[in-house]
């Protein structure tokens, strides 16, 4: 970016000046709050009239039932309260499957470790609630690791297929020779070796895959569960995104036609859907972060008219307290920073500022994270030049995975 703060290039920033990382964080927080306010307004306008209508209808029906059967409203409400307690324990009016037999308990732990949490089954005993705390702590962490590993393999496969298609297209146009192994000096071949797919194409592919899985799963849920096709699509999104409201829950009736086959298909669809939606959310987060970076850049150029002139002004041999070097290699994904000015001052023996020291510690922390990950995997590796330029390129987690695989998250973007 042109500047490290919204108006920091006109004068030396104060110790409490807003740097780029904090500006991005605060802007994202503000946007999320605004997004939630807009969502609350829309849902309130859509659902509040229906809620009031249902409440009035229920109150009238309750009074009529009380008068017809000569019951006091207090006794009737107490009875309904006892049913709500029984409902939490898994008791239903209609005939449903047992909640805590082994298949029901397995379905429950699946919703726990996947963080779906439908809420139709919850532990009622103190021992069960205590066990759930420790069980969910390990189970959720392990499942998130599984999702990250799935994401890494899925992005790798998509990148390989898209690279093969790109290479075939270049060969069809005659730009790329047929045998790339004997022409390593060709600039087209060298550029192809570092080619990465666009994050937008990957997002489109994951959107299509998630939509196909949801449509196929809805076609299965509609006749078996008796839902409408739209309700089935709604359930698929709520379940696959691990929101898990619990208003619609699959595989809860006592008996189904081809019950074993249906429960197996339900498990496969939920597993594939959760993995695809998780991958899609992470790719969309990259696009959101790019949009935030673009907004920050526009704000910086708007509030500071001289930031472009400051950007190209080099000060390699002048060290001023609190100044920010202008030459940086930034990764959109990792925010890893390489200070060429800092390296030059270290070689010349000059003192470095506190800002440079903190930046150096930040990169060192990224390298330490990478080394700890390699040590845990039992295969320590040397960091490549790309990893050195991009501090978190080999980091742990979904963002580090996509930073290595997608084009818009590389250091040259």
């Amino acid at each position: 970016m042109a500047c490290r703060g919204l108006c920091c290039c006109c004068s030396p920033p104060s110790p409490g000046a807003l740097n780029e990382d904090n500006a991005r964080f605060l802007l994202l927080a503000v946007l999320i709050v605004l997004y939630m306010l807009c969502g609350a307004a829309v849902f309130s306008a859509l659902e509040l009239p229906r809620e009031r209508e249902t409440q009035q209808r229920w109150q009238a029906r309750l009074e009529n039932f009380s008068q017809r059967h000569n019951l006091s409203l207090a006794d009737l409400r107490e009875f309904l309260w006892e049913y709500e307690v029984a409902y939490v324990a898994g008791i239903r009016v209609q005939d449903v499957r047992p909640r805590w037999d082994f298949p029901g308990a397995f379905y429950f732990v699946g919703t726990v470790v996947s963080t779906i949490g439908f809420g139709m089954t919850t532990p009622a005993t103190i021992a069960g609630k205590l066990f759930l705390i420790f069980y969910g702590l390990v189970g959720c962490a392990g499942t998130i690791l599984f999702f990250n590993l799935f994401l890494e393999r899925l992005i790798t496969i998509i990148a390989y297929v898209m690279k093969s298609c790109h290479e075939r297209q270049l060969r069809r146009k005659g730009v790329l020779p047929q045998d790339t192994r004997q022409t390593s000096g060709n600039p087209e071949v060298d550029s192809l070796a570092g080619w990465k797919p666009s994050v937008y194409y990957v997002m489109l592919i994951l959107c299509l895959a998630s939509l196909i899985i949801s449509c196929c799963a809805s076609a299965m849920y509609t006749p078996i569960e008796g839902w409408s096709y739209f309700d089935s699509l709604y359930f698929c999104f709520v379940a696959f995104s691990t929101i898990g409201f619990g208003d619609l829950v699959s595989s809860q009736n006592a008996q189904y036609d081809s019950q074993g086959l249906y429960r197996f298909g339900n498990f496969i669809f939920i597993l594939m859907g959760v993995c695809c939606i998780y991958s899609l959310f992470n790719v969309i987060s990259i696009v959101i972060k790019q949009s935030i970076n673009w907004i920050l850049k526009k704000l910086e150029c708007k509030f500071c008219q001289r930031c472009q002139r400051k950007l190209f002004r080099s000060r390699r041999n002048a060290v001023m307290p609190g100044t920010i070097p202008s030459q940086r290699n930034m990764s959109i994904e990792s925010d890893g920073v390489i200070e060429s000015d800092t390296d030059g001052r270290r070689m010349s023996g000059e003192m470095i500022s506190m800002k440079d020291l903190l930046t150096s510690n930040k990169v060192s922390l990224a390298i330490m994270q990478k080394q700890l990950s390699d040590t845990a995997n039992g295969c320590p590796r040397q960091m490549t030049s790309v990893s050195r330029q991009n501090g978190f390129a080999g980091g742990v987690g979904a963002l580090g995975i996509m930073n290595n695989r997608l084009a818009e998250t590389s250091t040259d973007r």
Side-chain angles (χ1 to χ4, degrees):
M1 288 195 178
C3 307
R4 303 298 293 180
L6 291 181
C7 195
C8 62
C9 59
C10 297
S11 60
S14 61
L18 192 66
N19 60 22
E20 183 181 351
D21 294 337
N22 294 333
R24 183 187 295 112
F25 173 77
L26 291 177
L27 179 60
L28 179 60
V30 171
L31 292 177
I32 290 177
V33 171
L34 293 176
Y35 190 78
M36 294 173 63
L37 291 175
C38 294
V42 172
F43 280 114
S44 179
L46 294 176
E47 300 295 335
L48 184 59
R50 179 68 177 272
E51 179 189 12
R52 291 175 176 174
E53 179 185 353
T54 304
Q55 186 177 7
Q56 293 175 357
R57 187 168 59 248
W58 167 250
Q59 186 66 27
R61 187 171 183 180
L62 191 64
E63 292 177 357
N64 292 335
F65 185 86
S66 173
Q67 295 174 1
R68 186 184 310 122
H69 296 278
N70 196 18
L71 296 173
S72 65
L73 284 176
D75 294 339
L76 188 55
R77 293 181 186 275
E78 183 179 356
F79 176 77
L80 293 176
W81 172 254
E82 291 179 356
Y83 173 72
E84 290 183 358
V85 175
Y87 186 91
V88 173
I91 305 302
R92 299 294 186 272
V93 175
Q94 67 273 19
D95 188 17
V96 296
R97 60 183 290 183
R99 289 292 189 266
W100 293 110
D101 60 348
F102 187 79
F106 184 80
Y107 193 89
F108 167 73
V109 298
T111 62
V112 170
V113 300
S114 62
T115 68
I116 295 178
F118 286 123
M120 78 293 179
T121 303
T122 55
T125 63
I126 296 179
K129 295 177 180 179
L130 184 63
F131 177 73
L132 174 64
I133 295 175
F134 295 98
Y135 183 84
L137 183 66
V138 178
C140 293
T143 305
I144 291 175
L145 176 61
F146 172 80
F147 288 157
N148 285 334
L149 295 178
F150 175 87
L151 172 63
E152 182 178 12
R153 281 147 182 80
L154 180 63
I155 297 298
T156 301
I157 293 174
I158 293 177
Y160 176 79
V161 173
M162 294 185 65
K163 184 177 181 180
S164 300
C165 295
H166 179 68
E167 183 178 355
R168 190 179 298 109
Q169 184 179 8
L170 292 179
R171 287 176 177 174
R172 189 181 299 113
K173 293 180 179 179
V175 178
L176 193 68
Q178 295 296 328
D179 190 2
T180 58
R181 293 174 297 181
Q182 298 179 359
T183 57
S184 59
N186 193 324
E188 294 293 337
V189 178
D190 295 339
S191 63
L192 183 63
W195 185 87
K196 296 180 181 180
S198 171
V199 66
Y200 305 104
Y201 289 121
V202 175
M203 182 176 64
L204 178 61
I205 292 174
L206 289 176
C207 283
L208 293 176
S210 302
L211 183 61
I212 291 174
I213 294 175
S214 298
C215 291
C216 294
S218 299
M220 180 186 70
Y221 292 135
T222 299
I224 296 179
E225 295 289 349
W227 302 334
S228 65
Y229 193 79
F230 179 79
D231 285 341
S232 299
L233 284 174
Y234 163 78
F235 164 76
C236 288
F237 176 77
V238 171
F240 297 167
S241 61
T242 70
I243 296 175
F245 290 126
D247 51 347
L248 294 176
V249 182
S250 61
S251 187
Q252 295 302 301
N253 294 336
Q255 293 294 330
Y256 291 98
D257 295 334
S258 303
Q259 181 167 291
L261 183 61
Y262 169 63
R263 288 183 176 177
F264 177 75
N266 180 52
F267 172 77
I268 294 299
F269 274 124
I270 290 181
L271 177 63
M272 294 175 58
V274 169
C275 290
C276 286
I277 293 294
Y278 174 83
S279 303
L280 178 61
F281 283 169
N282 281 282
V283 174
I284 293 177
S285 67
I286 299 296
V287 179
I288 293 176
K289 190 170 186 180
Q290 290 177 338
S291 302
I292 292 176
N293 289 341
W294 180 82
I295 294 174
L296 285 177
K297 186 175 181 180
K298 293 299 181 180
L299 289 176
E300 289 169 350
C301 294
K302 179 179 180 181
F303 284 101
C304 183
Q305 299 296 330
R306 291 179 291 175
C307 61
Q308 293 296 332
R309 294 197 299 269
K310 287 277 187 177
L311 176 63
F312 300 102
R313 191 173 298 171
S314 176
R315 289 182 159 182
R316 298 191 58 86
N317 296 322
V319 181
M320 296 176 62
T323 56
I324 302 174
S326 59
Q327 297 182 0
R328 302 174 185 268
N329 291 329
M330 292 293 301
S331 167
I332 293 178
E333 189 53 49
S334 63
D335 299 338
V337 183
I338 296 298
E339 302 286 353
S340 57
D341 295 348
T342 304
D343 296 337
R345 290 195 294 271
R346 288 177 181 173
M347 294 298 293
S348 62
E350 297 181 21
M351 295 181 61
I352 63 174
S353 65
M354 182 60 68
K355 190 75 174 180
D356 297 334
L357 179 61
L358 294 177
T359 302
S360 172
N361 290 336
K362 180 179 179 181
V363 178
S364 300
L365 181 61
I367 298 174
M368 184 183 301
Q369 182 188 20
K370 176 67 169 56
Q371 293 174 347
L372 289 175
S373 175
D374 292 340
T375 304
N377 294 329
C379 50
R381 296 167 293 181
Q382 297 294 330
M383 293 189 69
T384 61
S385 58
V386 177
S387 298
R388 292 189 185 97
Q389 293 176 359
N390 185 1
F392 287 88
V396 178
L399 298 181
I401 292 170
M402 290 182 293
N403 191 46
N404 285 330
R405 299 294 193 274
L406 304 181
E408 281 77 8
T409 58
S410 59
T411 56
D412 56 348
R413 295 298 177 114

